Amino acid sequence: MVEGANDFLVLRAIVIESKARRSGLHAAAFAGVFVFCFAISSIPLPSISSDAELGSIAYGYMGFPLMAAAIVAHWLENPVQPFVNTATDQVARSAVASGIVVVAILVLSSACIGWMGGGIEASQISLENGLWVAAIVLGLRRWLEPSQSAICVFVYGAVGLFLPSIGVFVINRDSNIYELAGGIIVIGSLLVAILYPRTRKFLI
Amino acid sequence: MNLDRSWVGDWNQTGSFLGVVGILGGTGAGMVLALHARRNLRPIQSLQLRTSPIRVARLVLRRTLGPSIGAWLLLCLAYYLVTWISNPSPSAPSAWPLISSTLGVVLTLVVGVVAGYFMHLSFALPAVIAIGFLLPATLGALEPSRAANFTISTNTSLEVQFVPLVSFYLKQGLFFAVLMCGLIALVSFALSHEWRPYRTMLIGGALVATFALVALGSPERIDNAPVTNSQHCDSRENIEVCVLTDHARFAPAALNVAVKIGDSLPPSDAPLKYVEKGLRIPDGAATLDVAGMRIDPVAEVINAAAQWNLCAPPDSPHRAIWLAHRSGLVLELPEFEELVALENAPDATQLQWWREPMTSSC
């Protein structure tokens, strides 16, 4: 088969897939969640002396990645499943592309919510949360259904409330440069792992 | 591990704490139920065509909601068992915090099933998170605690949970119950294809009326709570600390601080008796805040002594920190201008500053 025809088939498949995945519906849900979380994050909450972060959990900028993850995960539900039997580098490239889409949507929009609701500081926490939530969605895609990985994301959001004394779990309320770097490294390695045939089979 | 164990031994706090656990656990379970309802959509729809809606409802209750509600009740039992073992003689035990928490959790579970049944999961899961987690947590964090009527989330500004105000929990429970019944009624009408405008108006009216009743009532504070006589008192060197029996475990630490404060000031300048709100408070006693005792008994005793015998809020915000420093509980004073000047002043001037707001006539 000539190169051009192959590309045309892939393009056609993408169009069909995007219709089958009801992109309009997901975009509507996404917009609804964005507006809702922005509304919540713009309510000024008083800081509580005993646990200042408890209030911030309720902020839209914490809730946003939790809610958006479910939508994005469904939207990208097994996007390369039709091609998996004939796994080629092209499949890997499209998987990486879809991964970048997940990360970009979650990170940019949650950073945006954080910035609008609580300024630069909130924006950094939201950025981290967006990265880690995207990492959970990407990392678990092979193993769990989108709705099941959305529940895992909710658990990620909840542990910081229950186990605040364990440093690892405060990841969703506390922001520092190492956690940001950690999130970027985890997502980067997930994307790179998709490109190599040996590690690819565990991820897509 | 520094987990929040403040509910252990405190009966009414246990019920409230269960509500907070329920916000997270109930939302997680609601999401699973939404997934379950979505998956079984076709079988349930085909069953609906063949049998009566009541049988379908019974099936959903038994197979979907039943196990989750059962798990919740088991969790409650475990929490109360721990509380009962650590404090068999509570001050003012009440079932109301548990009832309103349970109603709130069941409401979240029902929302999960209904959302899963009627919406695509891309809408249903975010809806469950929004209704089950984000809204209650936000409302619970708002000050004043008027909005607390609508949520089972608790925080330090909500002081009603220790000596339960029945009217508060009644209104809260009523709100959850009416919301839940309204939701179930709307869904059952929609499923049985018997949509009648007057029924819908009736349900809508009930919802609006409950909302207004709960919203318009004044926020409930501990000051309105009934007084109980069930107390635990510790005393040493003429100084006595009386707390609710639920808070008996904090009494030794509180007494230690009270004695240190008593030693650092002349007898007439420091309270001899500290009594927790919710108990009968004799003349001349300092009052301890119930929520504050649970969070930090040491800080609460210092605050109570700093506010003792004041007619109006003091001009200086530094009384408590000055007292903590004087009684040896804080080694270094923060560098506020007023405090630095006081630290360098002679003892008589310092005591004069301390007495000044107390001597003003009410």
Side-chain angles (χ1 to χ4, degrees), chain B residues 109-180:
Chain B
L109 296 176
V110 170
V111 166
V113 174
V114 172
Y117 195 86
F118 284 101
M119 289 189 263
H120 187 265
L121 279 174
S122 290
F123 287 94
L125 294 183
V128 173
I129 295 178
I131 297 172
F133 177 65
L134 275 184
L135 276 181
T138 309
L139 290 177
L142 286 178
E143 176 84 42
S145 60
R146 180 182 290 266
N149 285 327
F150 301 104
T151 169
I152 39 183
S153 165
T154 58
N155 75 35
T156 46
S157 66
L158 179 64
E159 300 175 6
V160 292
Q161 64 265 44
F162 306 97
V163 180
L165 285 168
V166 172
S167 59
F168 171 81
Y169 287 106
L170 201 63
K171 277 196 271 182
Q172 202 186 42
L174 186 71
F175 178 68
F176 294 141
V178 169
L179 212 58
M180 188 166 64

Side-chain angles (χ1 to χ4, degrees), chain B:
Chain B
M1 292 211 318
N2 182 25
L3 295 177
D4 181 7
R5 290 196 193 84
S6 59
W7 55 272
V8 177
D10 192 327
W11 284 69
N12 299 313
Q13 170 63 13
T14 301
S16 274
F17 186 78
L18 272 168
V20 178
V21 172
I23 283 182
L24 291 168
T27 307
M31 288 166 80
V32 176
L33 291 188
L35 185 62
H36 185 270
R38 195 81 210 156
R39 275 206 186 134
N40 296 315
L41 193 59
R42 290 281 156 75
I44 288 177
Q45 275 172 344
S46 67
L47 194 69
Q48 233 168 31
L49 296 175
R50 279 182 243 146
T51 57
S52 67
I54 294 170
R55 284 192 67 180
V56 178
R58 213 187 292 157
L59 181 83
V60 169
L61 192 67
R62 201 175 65 232
R63 293 281 168 195
T64 312
L65 283 171
S68 300
I69 296 173
W72 165 255
L73 291 179
L74 272 180
L75 187 78
C76 293
L77 196 68
Y79 268 87
Y80 272 98
L81 205 61
V82 172
T83 299
W84 180 69
I85 288 168
S86 43
N87 176 22
S89 56
S91 275
S94 165
W96 281 105
L98 177 66
I99 291 173
S100 77
S101 294
T102 300
L103 284 171
V105 170
V106 175
L107 173 66
T108 313
L109 296 176
V110 170
V111 166
V113 174
V114 172
Y117 195 86
F118 284 101
M119 289 189 263
H120 187 265
L121 279 174
S122 290
F123 287 94
L125 294 183
V128 173
I129 295 178
I131 297 172
F133 177 65
L134 275 184
L135 276 181
T138 309
L139 290 177
L142 286 178
E143 176 84 42
S145 60
R146 180 182 290 266
N149 285 327
F150 301 104
T151 169
I152 39 183
S153 165
T154 58
N155 75 35
T156 46
S157 66
L158 179 64
E159 300 175 6
V160 292
Q161 64 265 44
F162 306 97
V163 180
L165 285 168
V166 172
S167 59
F168 171 81
Y169 287 106
L170 201 63
K171 277 196 271 182
Q172 202 186 42
L174 186 71
F175 178 68
F176 294 141
V178 169
L179 212 58
M180 188 166 64
C181 294
L183 194 63
I184 291 172
L186 283 177
V187 169
S188 59
F189 292 163
L191 290 185
S192 60
H193 306 289
E194 286 179 31
W195 193 264
R196 306 238 172 95
Y198 72 91
R199 275 184 186 171
T200 317
M201 276 161 64
L202 203 67
I203 296 167
L207 283 178
V208 171
T210 317
F211 190 81
L213 184 73
V214 176
L216 296 178
S218 60
E220 307 280 0
R221 307 301 292 188
I222 190 78
D223 307 324
N224 309 332
V227 172
T228 168
N229 288 323
S230 175
Q231 60 182 12
H232 170 97
C233 291
D234 277 359
S235 67
R236 197 166 77 211
E237 300 174 22
N238 279 341
I239 290 176
E240 192 177 28
V241 172
C242 288
V243 292
L244 299 165
T245 49
D246 289 329
H247 285 169
R249 61 195 187 284
F250 301 132
L255 183 65
N256 266 341
V257 183
V259 168
K260 276 185 187 169
I261 290 173
D263 290 344
S264 69
L265 288 171
S268 61
D269 289 340
L272 294 174
K273 195 169 168 105
Y274 297 80
V275 181
E276 193 166 1
K277 282 181 188 170
L279 296 171
R280 212 172 299 282
I281 296 172
D283 289 341
T287 50
L288 297 167
D289 203 72
V290 222
M293 278 301 279
R294 175 175 74 86
I295 293 160
D296 187 352
V298 174
E300 189 45 44
V301 171
I302 296 172
N303 281 335
Q307 281 162 18
W308 176 64
N309 262 1
L310 298 182
C311 301
D315 294 335
S316 165
H318 304 308
R319 283 173 74 81
I321 187 77
W322 176 84
L323 184 62
H325 180 252
R326 189 174 172 93
S327 44
L329 295 161
V330 172
L331 295 180
E332 288 205 16
L333 280 175
E335 294 200 352
F336 292 114
E337 210 175 299
E338 187 184 25
L339 289 177
V340 174
L342 263 181
E343 203 179 6
N344 299 326
D347 201 47
T349 318
Q350 291 195 31
L351 286 176
Q352 179 63 31
W353 172 82
W354 173 256
R355 282 178 202 135
E356 204 172 322
M358 299 199 316
T359 48
S360 63
S361 59
C362 291

